[in-house]
Amino acid sequence: YSSLKGVSNKTINKIYENITKNIPDVPEWHRDIVIQNNNWSSFKDSLIQLHNPKKIEDINKNSLAYERISFDEIFSNLLIFSQIKKKNLSIYKKPKVFSSEYKLKIVKNLSFTLTKDQQDIIKEIEDGLKKDKKMLRLLQGDVGSGKTIISIISGLNVVASGFQVALMCPTEILATQHLNLMKSITQELNIKIEILSSGVNKKRQIEIKKELADGAINFLIGTHSLFQETVSFNNLGLIIIDEQHKFGVKQRINLSEKGGKNCDVLLMSATPIPRTLILSTYGDMDISTLREKPFKKTKIITNIIPEKKIPDLINLIKKKIESKQQVYWICPLIEESKKVKLTPVLERFEYLKKYFPENVAVMHGNLKNDEKINVMKDFLDKKFSILISTTVVEVGVDNQNANTIIIENSERFGLAQLHQLRGRVGRGNEDGECILIYSKSISENGKKRLKILKESNDGFYISEQDLKLRGFGDIIGYKQSGEKDFIVADPLYHSHLFELAKQETDLFTEANLPIDKFSTLLKFFKKDKILNIIDTG
């Protein structure tokens, strides 16, 4: 147990020993065969054993008592997801009715051919849109696998069905990029597409909101501002959320209801998610996984160098600029931290300005939105060659002329995040190069992470390795909803229990039994609060 100031360990042990004597007997909520096959004791006896271990092995993660309590927690989590799914299936919506007219026009105008995976997933989404039950789907795929075009085609199908579509992006830069792409491929279609974000002037924002409420806008792209109370849609039929693996269960429930009963929801993530995380984080959703990447002649080479070799990079950058190529230089912090010695972005800007006075710009989170957009626009327009930035370029930014990315203090980033950053280069006709700079204080774990990245460009493999190295609770992006998913269970160590819990929740759901049987279990793990949201939603 955690120590308490002024209270001895002996006293703490005594308190817990007395409490465990008063744990009430609770009726068994699992099937007898599950308990017997796993040699588990009752919930009460397992708790007592964990709090009063006879030997150190009794509190290991693989002990029977620890497994039993972990299984109960995992089961309660999946049970909540099954109830959300059940609630969604009880809501009847107006099915989307559309032909392939828009899709065929878009596909014909593309400069590339859709992969089989892309075609299959477009069909999966079309089937979901045409049903009379709400679609709640996660589309996951590696960097560069082509999720955006899937979402655009799916959105246009919904427009063809007489509904409006909202596409929400994490940054204004990405929203603007999506707007430009959509306008370029929908020129032949009679569709009104607009962008709504804080960067749009106030007068135009008011006009857009009115046009939206009147139904004059078919497809709206924007940031979180899309879901302010002042924004009302005339006939919203699909919400697409790009790069929102940061959305928790509660946000997903609220979001689905914001669009009304006729609105389907499609989430997209470019961070491939291991199966255990899918079950524990997205168990309420249908999953589409995009594994096949469009054929490309280019590749990305990853190199790892110590920080003392930074001066050697000046010549490399000169050569890149001479060949009319551009460079990203990524730093983790904006200003110097007293606790951690990292090179901040502004300091690196001053350093590179000495060598490339007219050819370098800086971008970070403290800039205003319109300033960020202007910097990125100038970079895309080749007005300068080196962009020094924090991780605001991580998601989706597409500059086919930037083929080198240098990441400073790379050991400070998660593997998934480094893979995302690396995905900013090699998007054109030239091979990409990713240079990972590490500091003197790099740990053994840090070295392992960088080695994995050097050896593989497969986001699914990298995601699995990230999970193994860093543990479930520390994976970038998954723990940002403000709630800890598991108190006892370790999704990495207890992955076998997830499969069993999935089988058991599926059996329970198919039998359509009342959930009251598990009310005590849900209270133990504080899942009853989410159940209340589902019931009142």
Side-chain angles (χ1 to χ4, degrees):
Y1 303 113
S2 304
S3 57
L4 293 170
K5 196 175 179 183
V7 184
S8 70
N9 282 344
K10 192 175 177 183
T11 306
I12 290 171
N13 284 338
K14 199 76 184 162
I15 291 166
Y16 278 107
E17 194 180 320
N18 288 332
I19 290 170
T20 52
K21 285 175 187 171
N22 297 318
I23 294 173
D25 281 308
V26 287
E28 183 55 69
W29 37 69
H30 295 303
R31 296 187 304 141
D32 291 343
I33 194 166
V34 173
I35 302 299
Q36 289 161 13
N37 285 351
N38 291 284
N39 296 318
W40 287 335
S41 303
S42 68
F43 186 83
K44 176 185 175 179
D45 290 345
S46 299
L47 267 183
I48 290 170
Q49 191 179 331
L50 278 179
H51 286 285
N52 299 288
K54 300 288 185 288
K55 51 189 185 299
I56 194 70
E57 288 79 16
D58 290 344
I59 53 170
N60 286 347
K61 286 180 183 178
N62 62 354
S63 75
L64 291 174
Y66 202 112
E67 268 206 348
R68 161 73 214 243
I69 302 299
S70 298
F71 178 75
D72 277 304
E73 183 171 28
I74 292 164
F75 179 81
S76 70
N77 207 53
L78 299 194
L79 196 61
I80 285 294
F81 285 139
S82 75
Q83 293 306 295
I84 297 172
K85 262 192 165 175
K86 189 177 174 182
K87 171 77 185 289
N88 279 338
L89 289 171
S90 71
I91 301 169
Y92 285 85
K93 71 170 195 205
K94 189 177 175 183
K96 312 291 189 295
V97 181
F98 50 86
S99 67
S100 298
E101 182 194 356
Y102 281 179
K103 179 170 76 174
L104 292 172
K105 281 183 179 176
I106 294 294
V107 172
K108 190 180 72 174
N109 289 339
L110 293 176
S111 58
F112 54 88
T113 306
L114 294 175
T115 65
K116 186 179 182 303
D117 256 11
Q118 285 175 315
Q119 291 172 31
D120 290 346
I121 289 171
I122 289 168
K123 175 73 168 60
E124 277 180 12
I125 296 169
E126 284 177 351
D127 290 345
L129 296 171
K130 287 176 178 177
K131 284 179 181 167
D132 61 1
K133 303 286 172 62
K134 285 186 74 151
M135 180 184 79
L136 186 56
R137 182 173 292 277
L138 171 72
L139 167 56
Q140 61 155 344
D142 203 350
V143 177
S145 56
K147 293 176 298 300
T148 305
I149 194 64
I150 291 175
S151 68
I152 289 173
I153 288 171
S154 302
L156 292 174
N157 281 333
V158 172
V159 171
S161 192
F163 287 90
Q164 293 170 303
V165 176
L167 168 56
M168 188 166 99
C169 308
T171 66
E172 206 154 338
I173 291 167
L174 199 54
T176 307
Q177 188 175 289
H178 282 335
L179 177 74
N180 294 336
L181 172 65
M182 276 208 68
K183 285 194 168 174
S184 70
I185 61 177
T186 57
Q187 286 171 352
E188 295 176 27
L189 308 176
N190 184 25
I191 290 173
K192 188 164 172 61
I193 306 160
E194 283 293 347
I195 188 167
L196 184 63
S197 64
S198 53
V200 176
N201 73 60
K202 293 286 186 282
K203 186 185 173 194
R204 183 63 193 131
Q205 281 188 36
I206 293 164
E207 289 170 357
I208 287 171
K209 287 174 187 176
K210 185 179 183 307
E211 288 170 26
L212 199 64
D214 293 343
I217 293 171
N218 307 111
F219 206 122
L220 185 67
I221 301 170
T223 52
H224 281 79
S225 56
L226 292 192
F227 294 102
Q228 292 168 349
E229 283 183 25
T230 55
V231 178
S232 61
F233 294 83
N234 179 279
N235 191 17
L236 185 60
L238 177 66
I239 295 168
I240 304 167
I241 300 176
D242 195 5
E243 289 304 337
Q244 287 302 325
H245 43 271
K246 297 170 179 128
F247 265 52
V249 179
K250 286 178 185 175
Q251 289 107 314
R252 292 206 292 272
I253 295 169
N254 294 339
L255 183 69
S256 180
E257 285 164 2
K258 167 91 181 175
K261 67 178 185 180
N262 287 323
C263 186
D264 295 301
V265 179
L266 177 66
L267 301 188
M268 297 198 293
S269 173
T271 306
I273 307 160
R275 177 163 167 77
T276 307
L277 282 176
I278 281 181
L279 286 174
S280 64
T281 316
Y282 296 104
D284 55 325
M285 305 186 75
D286 294 316
I287 311 291
S288 289
T289 300
L290 190 54
R291 287 189 177 272
E292 187 184 0
K293 287 189 183 179
F295 175 74
K296 283 174 70 179
K297 292 177 183 173
T298 59
K299 58 184 183 293
I300 304 173
I301 297 142
T302 303
N303 290 306
I304 304 169
I305 66 165
E307 60 186 0
K308 66 183 180 186
K309 292 199 172 179
I310 286 176
D312 297 351
L313 294 175
I314 299 301
N315 278 334
L316 172 80
I317 294 170
K318 278 179 183 169
K319 285 176 187 171
K320 297 287 179 186
I321 293 172
E322 282 164 12
S323 62
K324 302 284 188 282
Q325 290 188 34
Q326 291 170 288
V327 177
Y328 291 108
W329 189 305
I330 307 297
C331 299
L333 289 182
I334 298 167
E335 52 198 33
E336 195 67 81
S337 160
K338 288 176 185 173
K339 290 183 182 176
V340 185
K341 182 75 176 79
L342 303 174
T343 303
V345 69
L346 299 176
E347 188 183 307
R348 184 56 64 211
F349 174 59
E350 293 302 323
Y351 173 80
L352 288 173
K353 218 160 62 165
K354 291 179 202 166
Y355 299 96
F356 310 99
E358 303 300 321
N359 223 346
V360 59
V362 68
M363 185 166 73
H364 51 72
N366 283 4
L367 292 179
K368 290 176 182 170
N369 274 330
D370 55 345
E371 290 174 319
K372 279 189 228 170
I373 286 168
N374 287 336
V375 171
M376 188 49 76
K377 187 178 182 303
D378 287 347
F379 190 51
L380 290 166
D381 290 343
K382 303 176 188 161
K383 290 185 180 173
F384 60 89
S385 300
I386 309 162
L387 177 63
I388 303 170
S389 173
T390 53
T391 56
V392 287
V393 301
E394 173 191 347
V395 177
V397 174
D398 188 21
N399 181 358
Q400 298 191 5
N401 193 53
N403 291 310
T404 306
I405 186 161
I406 298 164
I407 305 170
E408 205 161 342
N409 296 110
S410 56
E411 74 276 10
R412 291 270 161 193
F413 297 91
L415 263 180
Q417 195 175 27
L418 287 171
H419 183 58
Q420 280 289 319
L421 286 164
R422 176 170 64 180
R424 296 315 101 222
V425 298
R427 300 173 81 90
N429 299 318
E430 302 280 340
D431 285 349
E433 185 173 6
C434 174
I435 298 168
L436 303 173
I437 303 171
Y438 63 89
S439 63
K440 285 183 287 190
S441 58
I442 187 171
S443 65
E444 282 306 310
N445 221 10
K447 287 176 187 172
K448 281 181 193 170
R449 289 216 303 277
L450 299 189
K451 187 169 179 281
I452 288 163
L453 208 74
K454 180 176 169 61
E455 290 171 354
S456 177
N457 271 308
D458 179 350
F460 288 90
Y461 170 78
I462 288 166
S463 176
E464 292 281 359
Q465 296 308 307
D466 204 10
L467 183 61
K468 284 177 186 171
L469 277 176
R470 302 174 68 200
F472 174 80
D474 197 29
I475 294 293
I476 188 74
Y478 294 109
K479 305 307 295 176
Q480 296 184 10
S481 58
E483 289 188 8
K484 185 169 168 56
D485 286 340
F486 294 99
I487 304 161
V488 184
D490 179 339
L492 180 60
Y493 192 87
H494 296 124
S495 57
H496 61 295
L497 297 179
F498 274 87
E499 298 301 334
L500 178 58
K502 177 82 170 70
Q503 289 168 24
E504 289 303 298
T505 48
D506 285 350
L507 277 173
F508 169 76
T509 309
E510 283 160 21
N512 204 23
L513 300 170
I515 199 167
D516 305 1
K517 178 184 179 183
F518 302 105
S519 56
T520 309
L521 168 66
L522 294 172
K523 278 179 187 166
F524 268 122
F525 292 107
K526 299 181 179 175
K527 304 293 182 188
D528 51 325
K529 293 174 185 173
I530 298 178
L531 195 61
N532 290 338
I533 295 173
I534 301 167
D535 290 341
T536 55

